[in-house]
Amino acid sequence: MGPPGYPSARGKGLLGALFDINFDEMVSTRLIKAFYVLAILLISLTSLFILLVGLWALQFGWGRYFGIFLVPAAPLLWLFELVVVRMVLEFVINQFKITEHLKAMREREGLR
């Protein structure tokens, strides 16, 4: 339950929110945590694959320069992708919070 005057984010369950025809409950804010965990997993696996390819290239010598580029690029790419995903998701969450606060202000002033 949120502060007084603010709508409850947990008024309905996930299935109840999915079938809310008036769109009073937001489903995206509940699913965004799972999406972020999935994004961390996929970004980590991709960066690990890039690192392993770089180490393999260094070991077998067919692309020594390629390996020299990939090994330090893997953690930098991991960090960059994680920051970008986090920024996008924070923007999305911020938009939902703005909507919730505006709705609460309207209800407090009796405009709805």
Side-chain angles (χ1 to χ4, degrees):
M1 192 87 174
Y6 288 95
S8 172
R10 298 289 180 188
K12 300 178 181 178
L14 181 61
L15 284 176
L18 281 174
F19 293 107
D20 179 21
I21 297 172
N22 294 326
F23 291 92
D24 291 328
E25 298 288 327
M26 297 293 170
V27 175
S28 301
T29 55
R30 298 177 189 188
L31 297 178
I32 207 131
K33 291 177 188 176
F35 181 77
Y36 186 56
V37 170
L38 181 65
I40 291 172
L41 179 66
L42 290 175
I43 290 169
S44 298
L45 288 175
T46 303
S47 295
L48 181 63
F49 177 75
I50 291 170
L51 180 68
L52 292 175
V53 167
L55 290 173
W56 185 78
L58 282 174
Q59 183 179 5
F60 290 106
W62 59 265
R64 201 168 289 271
Y65 295 113
F66 186 62
I68 290 171
F69 171 74
L70 284 181
V71 170
L76 294 175
L77 184 65
W78 179 84
L79 183 63
F80 175 75
E81 289 177 343
L82 198 61
V83 166
V84 168
V85 167
R86 180 67 186 217
M87 287 172 53
V88 168
L89 293 179
E90 284 180 2
F91 177 78
V92 171
I93 288 293
N94 189 36
Q95 296 305 309
F96 283 109
K97 286 184 179 184
I98 289 171
T99 303
E100 288 176 1
H101 288 292
L102 287 174
K103 182 179 175 183
M105 287 170 53
R106 255 185 302 167
E107 288 176 355
R108 205 172 347 151
E109 294 174 4
L111 296 175
R112 189 160 198 217

